[in-house]
């Protein structure tokens, strides 16, 4: 029975009091939703700034010190994750202990570590064969991959407004890339564009798998478990790649305080990215996070205007506004899981087919409705 249908059966004063209480509940839920949206917005842009820091430090290492060691930079990040989060799992008790996790789920995290390492490697490798424009465009393929996998694996259910928001964000990326082409900034040579494009698409698919797996783990287990197991296995695989692919490049590095400072800046930003990414995913979802970090390239371009003398274009501002509007639009309506739909159908059936009085337990059951995006829980007594 709906709240409005229930009012006529109450006395005048009781109806007025119930209506006022209902208005207060609605107002409180709107405030909580606004705060959650603002928090997700700020945290998402914080992630974009961290990615921007990794891009700027890498650009400095390449342009000014002729250092091109992406596997080494990734290895340092994974090693930090191993030292911090895997170390935390070692000192835990019970089923959350490192040994217990390895006994039951070691092969799953082994595959996840390999996927994450290769996703980073494929995208970075693509810059040697195709243009920056192609990488920026094709890397957005991770968004439909995440949505597709979330639909079938996490059973997320999207609304029309979510698809419109994604379209707006991708439109903003298109405008950004168009401005980059017109300004002819830092385009790669693109000597084997087809191979480079295939590498980006492969990396985007692996990124999508990694993000969806991360959302599942952080929402069902813990952030420390995901980062600790990723640090353990990704350090192993990254170390193997490092010894095979970059041992000569590392030997040729002219180490000085500036190079060390840039490596440190990259490691801090990347470690911060990996550490805070699960927090934002838990508050929203993997699709929302990938929409939020579309602004990372824009931040890099803005900083590049001052640091690397890129040409400014007003289209960058337009692209930023469109992406932010699309991101806010996406998070304004939370996605629902299939479990909620099943629960709602169950409640509807109970109203249509009431249980006989003799069969009702003395303790009234409580049905909980949860949103996949916002961890706000409400209860309704039958």
């Amino acid at each position: 029975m709906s709240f409005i249908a229930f009012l006529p059966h109450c006395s005048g004063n009781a109806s007025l009091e119930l209506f006022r209480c209902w208005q207060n509940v609605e107002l409180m839920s709107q405030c909580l939703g606004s705060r959650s949206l603002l928090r997700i917005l700020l945290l998402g842009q914080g992630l974009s700034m961290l990615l921007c820091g990794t891009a700027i430090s890498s650009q400095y290492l390449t342009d000014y010190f002729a250092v091109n060691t992406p596997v080494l930079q990734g290895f340092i990040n994974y090693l930090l994750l191993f030292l911090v989060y895997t170390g935390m799992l070692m000192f835990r008790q019970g089923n959350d202990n490192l040994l217990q996790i390895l006994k039951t789920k070691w092969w799953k995290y082994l595959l996840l570590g390999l996927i994450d390492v290769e996703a980073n490697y494929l995208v970075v490798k693509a810059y040697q064969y195709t243009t920056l424009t192609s990488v920026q465009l094709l890397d957005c393929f991770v968004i439909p991959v995440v949505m597709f996998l979330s639909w079938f694996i996490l059973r997320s259910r999207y609304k029309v407004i979510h698809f419109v928001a994604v379209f707006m964000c991708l439109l903003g990326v298109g405008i950004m890339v168009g401005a980059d082409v017109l300004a002819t900034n830092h385009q790669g040579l693109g000597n084997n564009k087809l191979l480079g494009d295939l590498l980006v698409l492969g990396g985007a698919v692996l990124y999508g798998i990694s993000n969806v797996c991360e959302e599942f783990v952080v929402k069902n287990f813990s952030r420390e478990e995901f980062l600790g197991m990723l640090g353990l296995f990704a350090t192993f695989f990254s170390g193997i790649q490092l010894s095979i692919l970059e041992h000569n490049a590392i030997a040729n590095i002219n180490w000085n305080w500036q190079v060390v400072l840039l490596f440190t800046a990259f490691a801090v930003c990347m470690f911060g990215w990996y550490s805070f990414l699960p927090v934002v995913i838990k508050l929203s979802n993997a699709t929302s996070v990938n929409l939020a970090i579309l602004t990372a390239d824009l931040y890099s371009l803005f900083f590049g205007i001052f640091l690397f003398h890129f040409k400014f274009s007003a289209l960058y501002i337009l692209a930023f506004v469109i992406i932010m509007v699309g991101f806010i639009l996406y998070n304004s309506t939370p996605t629902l899981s299939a479990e909620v739909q099943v629960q709602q159908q169950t409640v509807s059936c109970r109203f249509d087919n009431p249980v006989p009085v003799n069969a009702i337990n003395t303790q009234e059951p409580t049905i909980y409705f949860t949103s996949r995006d916002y961890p706000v829980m409400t209860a309704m007594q039958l």
Side-chain angles (χ1 to χ4, degrees), residues 209-254:
I209 297 173
S210 177
N211 287 163
V212 172
C213 292
E214 182 172 0
E215 180 177 349
F216 177 82
V217 173
V218 299
K219 289 187 175 181
N220 291 277
F221 300 101
S222 70
R223 163 177 170 265
E224 291 77 13
E225 177 176 329
F226 174 82
L227 294 175
M229 300 307 293
L230 178 66
L232 175 63
F233 289 106
T235 301
F236 172 74
F237 290 116
S238 182
I240 293 176
Q241 277 193 331
L242 179 64
S243 61
I244 296 174
L245 301 176
E246 292 187 356
H247 58 278
N248 291 327
I250 295 174
N252 294 327
I253 295 177
N254 183 19

Side-chain angles (χ1 to χ4, degrees), residues 142-151 158 162-163 166 287 330:
V142 69
I143 295 173
V145 170
V146 168
M147 295 184 73
F148 176 80
L149 294 176
S150 297
W151 181 281
Y158 302 99
H162 296 122
F163 293 103
V166 169
T287 304
Y330 181 91

